Amino acid sequence: MDQQIKSEKKGQAFLIFLCWLVYTVSYLGRYSYNANILSVMDEYGVDRAAAGLVGTFFFFSYGIGQIVNGIFCKKYEKQKVLTFALLVAAVLNLTVFFGVDFAVIKYLWLINGAVQSVLWSSLISVLGEYLEDGNIKKSVLVMSTCVVSGIALSYGLSSLFTLIGDYKLSFLLGAVSIFLVAIIWFISFGRYKKNTQKYVPKIAAPTIEKESNAKGKAVKGGVIALICVLCVFAVFDNFVKDGLQTWVPDILKSKFDLDNSLSTILTILLPVFGIFGTAVCVFAQKKVKNPILLNALFFGIIAVLIAVLMLVLDSSLLILSVILLAVIYLFATGINNVLTSVAPLYLRNEIDAGFSSGIINGFCYAGSTVSAFGLGLVADNGGWNVVFILILAVSIFAVLIGGISYFILGNRQSNTNFE
């Protein structure tokens, strides 16, 4: 019996690692463009708006795909569907590596966004289907590091390739890495699901089952209302988070006259600090149980930091500016963790984890879609100071939305809290 328990624990730990590996490595084929946006602008002679349009095409298809896949992912044959998505992403990166006209890249990235949108909701659905309750917190913590780990790898390697004079090696590395992980996923998950039973959701307590239909609708309505508010937060958060991630290299280059390689390598501090965002999220979640209040608190901190950053950027203090940008990214990452990992898995007995994560993540990338092209356009016409004023306004508005929502929903339903 003890041997069986140990085997099951190892199996669940392996599943968490496998899901982490798939999603982390996928970022090498997702940010192979964004991490090299300065080199792309130099090589093709395009402005920020045109360069940002490629990211907008990606985020647009990715966001819509998140919603669609969130709805249907529970029916997918995960072993085959995820393998196919990864292989297509690998081919697209390989195509850019061998060289295409700039006008074609945005359409390739539109397809890249569509196929990669299969991954997150499907992986969260897999974890929700197979993990026991005791491993949920562990999976939340591990999966919340995927984004920051993937981005750090992408930008770190891109800065290295830029330094040696061939930024397109990022696309080759993305293609090869994703191809290998696709094979690993197909073989490993195939073996795992044959030997493992799916998780059976807990049945509600008898006292709850006997309540009236009206009460049951109120509880369900609380979950729906919570998800709607989280979707609004998702738009605002990724407008800030992905907007900074995309354009910080250009901000540093413009404000401090740095070269492309140094601007890119300094940007690595954002995802590195983002890893601490995971720890901050876990700690804050224990103190602030209501997710609406927690997100509003984080947005308030971001607004204060943006205001300070606007003063520092004009004072030529490079290190302090980079640290402030990284701390802002830390709290934006914390919000993203609450939205896409913590909430869906904690609500899995109320609503399918893959469905809720797909819907919320879809709205995340609605914000990303606007930020890639929109902030580039604003910067082209008004400069980076206007961009930061816009980000500040968005953060303050998010705090107001959070305050109003918390006042309306409050703690009336226990399933609106992380308990």
Side-chain angles (χ1 to χ4, degrees):
M1 182 63 70
D2 290 341
Q3 188 64 34
Q4 182 179 354
I5 293 174
K6 288 181 180 179
S7 178
E8 289 175 355
K9 286 183 178 180
K10 287 182 180 179
Q12 297 226 325
F14 174 75
L15 180 64
I16 294 172
F17 168 75
L18 184 61
C19 291
W20 177 88
L21 180 66
V22 169
Y23 202 68
T24 299
V25 172
S26 74
Y27 267 76
L28 294 178
R30 180 182 308 185
Y31 272 79
S32 48
Y33 177 86
N34 281 17
N36 292 286
I37 196 166
L38 293 178
S39 297
V40 170
M41 291 167 63
D42 290 344
E43 178 176 346
Y44 291 98
V46 296
D47 60 16
R48 296 184 183 96
L53 191 59
V54 176
T56 290
F57 269 55
F58 176 91
F59 292 137
F60 174 76
S61 62
Y62 190 92
I64 292 177
Q66 281 294 307
I67 296 174
V68 173
N69 291 306
I71 295 172
F72 295 107
C73 69
K74 194 165 182 66
K75 299 180 180 179
Y76 292 168
E77 174 51 66
K78 307 294 195 307
Q79 180 188 11
K80 296 177 181 178
V81 171
L82 268 67
T83 301
F84 175 77
L86 290 168
L87 291 176
V88 173
V91 170
L92 293 169
N93 274 268
L94 196 61
T95 302
V96 176
F97 168 73
F98 283 119
V100 292
D101 291 337
F102 178 77
V104 176
I105 297 178
K106 60 179 177 289
Y107 298 111
L108 296 178
W109 247 231
L110 183 75
I111 300 171
N112 195 16
V115 296
Q116 292 220 27
S117 70
V118 173
L119 302 178
W120 181 255
S121 57
S122 296
L123 292 171
I124 292 296
S125 181
V126 166
L127 294 172
E129 288 174 355
Y130 286 98
L131 292 186
E132 297 296 331
D133 287 337
N135 289 313
I136 287 295
K137 286 187 177 181
K138 183 189 298 182
S139 70
V140 167
L141 183 61
V142 172
M143 292 302 291
S144 64
T145 67
C146 289
V147 175
V148 291
S149 300
I151 292 174
L153 280 172
S154 297
Y155 277 80
L157 293 168
S158 294
S159 64
L160 174 62
F161 295 144
T162 300
L163 190 62
I164 65 177
D166 192 355
Y167 77 91
K168 285 189 176 180
L169 288 173
S170 295
F171 295 95
L172 177 61
L173 177 67
V176 173
S177 301
I178 292 176
F179 175 80
L180 293 175
V181 167
I183 303 303
I184 292 171
W185 168 262
F186 184 81
I187 296 172
S188 299
F189 184 65
R191 291 175 178 172
Y192 180 86
K193 68 178 183 177
K194 286 181 181 179
N195 301 318
T196 310
Q197 292 183 344
K198 290 187 177 182
Y199 166 81
V200 179
K202 292 181 178 179
I203 300 173
T207 54
I208 297 176
E209 289 179 345
K210 293 177 181 178
E211 290 179 355
S212 66
N213 289 335
K215 180 66 176 178
K217 289 180 181 178
V219 173
K220 188 66 174 179
V223 175
I224 293 173
L226 172 61
I227 290 176
C228 288
V229 175
L230 295 182
C231 286
V232 174
F233 281 143
V235 175
F236 294 153
D237 180 54
N238 276 258
F239 178 83
V240 175
K241 182 175 73 69
D242 283 341
L244 289 177
Q245 187 65 64
T246 299
W247 293 114
V248 160
D250 198 350
I251 293 169
L252 296 179
K253 181 179 180 179
S254 301
K255 289 288 186 179
F256 300 102
D257 195 29
L258 305 178
D259 61 31
N260 290 355
S261 179
L262 184 55
S263 297
T264 302
I265 199 166
L266 285 175
T267 305
I268 297 175
L269 281 179
L270 271 66
V272 168
F273 271 62
I275 295 175
F276 294 101
T278 301
V280 170
C281 172
V282 172
F283 174 79
Q285 176 197 332
K286 295 177 181 178
K287 304 296 182 180
V288 183
K289 297 295 185 181
N290 189 286
I292 296 174
L293 190 60
L294 180 58
N295 283 326
L297 174 64
F298 281 0
F299 271 117
I301 295 172
I302 288 174
V304 172
L305 292 172
I306 288 289
V308 175
L309 176 65
M310 291 172 65
L311 299 175
V312 173
L313 276 175
D314 292 328
S315 62
S316 301
L317 298 174
L318 172 62
I319 301 302
L320 183 56
S321 297
V322 172
I323 291 174
L324 282 169
L325 285 164
V327 176
I328 291 167
Y329 190 85
L330 180 156
F331 283 100
T333 301
I335 295 171
N336 194 74
N337 289 339
V338 173
L339 296 172
T340 59
S341 298
V342 180
L345 288 172
Y346 269 80
L347 293 171
R348 67 174 178 165
N349 287 322
E350 303 289 340
I351 188 169
D352 178 68
F355 174 78
S356 59
S357 68
I359 296 297
I360 294 171
N361 219 13
F363 278 88
C364 283
Y365 282 90
S368 304
T369 298
V370 176
S371 70
F373 172 75
L375 293 183
L377 183 63
V378 171
D380 281 336
N381 291 280
W384 290 116
N385 288 338
V386 178
V387 167
F388 284 111
I389 291 173
L390 178 59
I391 293 175
L392 176 62
V394 168
S395 301
I396 293 173
F397 188 58
V399 174
L400 294 176
I401 293 294
I404 294 170
S405 301
Y406 180 72
F407 177 77
I408 294 173
L409 295 176
N411 291 303
R412 290 182 298 168
Q413 283 91 26
S414 61
N415 54 14
T416 60
N417 294 326
F418 295 138
E419 295 177 336

